[in-house]
Amino acid sequence: MKIAIVIPAHNEAQAIGPLVEAVRALGYDCVVIDDGSVDKTAVVAREAGAVVLKTGTKSGKGNALKVGFDHVLKSDYEALIAMDGDGQHAPSDIAAFVACYQNTNADIVSGDRMHNPQGMPLVRLATNRFMSWLISLFCRQHVPDTQCGFRLIKTNALRAIKLESSDFEIETEVLIKASKKGFKIASVGIKTIYRDEISKIQPVRDTFRFIAYLWRELWRKND
């Protein structure tokens, strides 16, 4: 099967090189979307072997992912795996996503940090558990970690949904819209590498934004 790895990145010059090199060493094509970085993210990613796309100015994780998705959908990939560009996701876990996909025939395989959340800040842990419970209700499928950015998505599932979110809520939008279309979601346990970097997610602000998105989704027709 042919899989592309899609990595949105903003000012990740330190982490992106080793990440791309590890992905390429596993034999996967790698697409990095430089979302308005002011450092050498794009240069480092390209030198490490990635196809680099640019948004021009910082547009949000959702917009960056959509640029990467559009690029992948123009080729003959069966699926893609989205990873964050800050080095928190271990390339060695890619094999677990592929195995889960092959064994379950799922259309989306979501990474699950909740089976071993050691090291996750308490506020993020509580927010994630609440949001995952709520979004699972919307999806009518159990997704233990709906906010994880590490996930496999079949390209035919992406083609069937219209994504509109511009920032972190895109991860919720993919799950809900895919579920409405009848696509199957599975989960696989992953490692998360916590460093001293400041999270780009603001738990309180983003929780309210997710709830606002869910409220809009309640009244939205399938698309």
Side-chain angles (χ1 to χ4, degrees):
M1 60 184 300
K2 190 175 180 183
I3 297 177
I5 311 300
V6 175
I7 305 174
H10 174 71
N11 291 341
E12 300 291 357
Q14 289 188 328
I16 199 67
L19 177 58
V20 171
E21 289 172 357
V23 167
R24 296 288 293 143
L26 293 172
Y28 293 99
D29 295 337
C30 186
V31 180
V32 171
I33 307 90
D34 178 15
D35 188 30
S37 298
V38 295
D39 63 5
K40 294 185 177 180
T41 294
V43 173
V44 173
R46 188 176 292 111
E47 290 177 347
V51 172
V52 176
L53 310 174
K54 292 187 176 185
T55 61
T57 58
K58 190 175 187 306
S59 61
K61 183 179 182 181
N63 282 324
L65 277 173
K66 286 186 288 187
V67 170
F69 293 166
D70 288 345
H71 176 84
V72 170
L73 291 178
K74 293 175 182 176
S75 300
D76 60 344
Y77 294 101
E78 181 178 340
L80 62 85
I81 294 177
M83 300 178 68
D84 290 345
D86 56 7
Q88 285 196 359
H89 297 154
S92 58
D93 280 333
I94 290 174
F97 282 89
V98 176
C100 182
Y101 168 66
Q102 293 174 332
N103 293 334
T104 64
N105 199 32
D107 302 289
I108 297 174
V109 180
S110 181
D112 176 17
R113 300 162 294 177
M114 296 298 101
H115 76 295
N116 183 19
Q118 184 176 2
M120 180 178 287
L122 184 59
V123 172
R124 289 176 61 185
L125 177 60
T127 300
N128 201 339
R129 289 198 185 280
F130 169 71
M131 293 304 301
S132 295
W133 169 79
L134 185 60
I135 293 165
S136 291
L137 291 180
F138 275 74
C139 293
R140 297 184 181 180
Q141 302 186 65
H142 178 56
V143 187
D145 188 0
T146 59
Q147 305 310 299
C148 183
F150 198 0
R151 58 177 56 160
L152 180 150
I153 311 172
K154 286 183 68 173
T155 50
N156 69 344
L158 268 183
R159 289 189 177 96
I161 60 179
K162 179 182 178 182
L163 297 174
E164 300 173 350
S165 298
S166 61
D167 215 329
F168 292 100
E169 65 268 28
I170 193 170
E171 281 144 4
T172 299
E173 184 182 20
V174 167
L175 297 177
I176 291 178
K177 288 188 172 179
S179 294
K180 283 185 174 183
K181 294 286 187 179
F183 292 107
K184 179 181 177 181
I185 302 170
S187 295
V188 65
I190 63 167
K191 300 180 287 292
T192 301
I193 305 163
Y194 291 105
R195 297 189 174 94
D196 295 329
E197 70 276 355
I198 298 174
S199 174
K200 296 181 176 68
I201 295 179
Q202 301 297 319
V204 175
R205 182 200 66 188
D206 288 329
T207 297
F208 279 111
R209 190 169 62 206
F210 288 134
I211 291 173
Y213 168 76
L214 292 175
W215 179 256
R216 294 193 303 272
E217 197 63 38
L218 270 175
W219 307 104
R220 189 193 302 268
K221 296 180 179 179
N222 289 2
D223 53 9

